[in-house]
Amino acid sequence: MSPLAALPDNPHVKVVRNFAELVATPFAGGVNALCWPRPLAGDFGEIVAGLGAGEGIMSLDEGRLNALVLSAAGRVARDILLADLRLLRDQGLAPELNCIHIYPRDEDAAVVPVDVYSFHADRAPVETSTWLCTYHGPASEGLRNEETQRRIDVPATRAALLAEYGGADDDGFREFLRDSCYDLHYAPAPNARPWSFGLGHLWRIAVAWPGSPVPPCIHRAPATLPGDPPRLLLIS
């Protein structure tokens, strides 16, 4: 299967041909996710296996990657990881490469969980984008904006949040929602169909910032199920 065949049929997603286009293409016309599809060579599973058993999130740097004893296929995968880190750093970004066994869960949330397993948007005070690529394990998932509703706009949820706030539905309450990041989390519509970011593709997705010409890309980390392999994820 070609990398293009696996991408979602989605008017909010635009495919680009190379990294330069990924950097330069503006978000416009409702497009809030740009994808450079890549069929990557190499054995990324060998990278994960070489890191050994773990739990939570393991941060990887060049030193840890270069210390791995790998086969030829593993070395190809490592070279791709190092090259992608350099590509993003050359753009003035601060990418992180992580081996993720499981993310922390928001166990204390009585009404709206705000962990990365919930469909959410990213936010920034200035114009920026989120960059990400899954190399191994379950890939990130997205939802079309029209197939979601902000959780704070669901009447029963808003009423419960008002009770948690202990005040009126006023500017102070809206500030409370923002400070708690409740306003960044979304509920899927009953007929919503999440789409996969796929493996190996490098993405640039829109975030919520003042003056953004498009709505943010709504996405989440995939649910972690027993027996799932760790994820190898690049994000900035």
Side-chain angles (χ1 to χ4, degrees):
M1 179 184 294
S2 76
L4 290 176
L7 291 175
D9 180 15
N10 185 335
H12 302 298
V13 174
K14 182 174 182 177
V15 172
V16 298
R17 295 170 295 180
N18 51 49
F19 184 72
E21 284 190 4
L22 190 62
V23 172
T25 302
F27 294 120
V31 171
N32 60 12
L34 302 170
C35 176
W36 175 25
R38 307 180 298 174
L40 298 184
D43 187 346
F44 293 93
E46 185 181 353
I47 299 283
V48 171
L51 294 169
E55 58 184 26
I57 302 172
M58 181 186 299
S59 180
L60 308 179
D61 57 18
E62 287 90 340
R64 176 168 274 175
L65 289 172
N66 286 324
L68 296 175
V69 178
L70 301 169
S71 69
R75 293 194 296 273
V76 169
R78 177 171 58 194
D79 288 346
I80 291 170
L81 296 175
L82 294 172
D84 282 353
L85 286 168
R86 286 194 295 270
L87 278 175
L88 297 191
R89 286 173 181 158
D90 287 348
Q91 295 300 314
L93 302 171
E96 297 181 6
L97 180 64
N98 294 316
C99 181
I100 303 159
H101 296 267
I102 191 169
Y103 284 108
R105 288 278 190 176
D106 188 4
E107 304 289 358
D108 297 331
V111 183
V112 178
V114 291
D115 57 47
V116 295
Y117 292 111
S118 166
F119 279 110
H120 65 279
D122 298 333
R123 178 162 56 209
V126 296
E127 182 176 0
T128 189
S129 305
T130 295
W131 300 71
L132 70 163
C133 178
T134 306
Y135 302 93
H136 181 76
S140 302
E141 297 177 332
L143 274 180
R144 295 185 183 211
N145 296 74
E146 60 271 20
E147 294 182 345
T148 68
Q149 181 180 21
R150 285 196 311 172
R151 291 190 179 274
I152 64 171
D153 295 328
V154 177
T157 302
R158 195 173 189 90
L161 289 171
L162 272 168
E164 180 181 325
Y165 172 62
D169 193 341
D170 54 14
D171 288 343
F173 177 58
R174 285 182 282 278
E175 184 177 351
F176 162 76
L177 296 176
R178 182 181 176 90
D179 290 346
S180 303
C181 295
Y182 290 144
D183 61 330
L184 293 176
H185 288 260
Y186 292 76
N191 61 343
R193 297 181 61 185
W195 51 271
S196 174
F197 281 60
L199 293 178
H201 311 324
L202 186 57
W203 292 81
R204 181 179 143 232
I205 63 175
V207 309
W209 58 273
S212 174
V214 296
C217 180
I218 298 167
H219 62 288
R220 71 174 178 186
T224 303
L225 303 174
D228 281 347
R231 301 181 70 206
L232 196 55
L233 178 73
L234 178 71
I235 190 164
S236 178

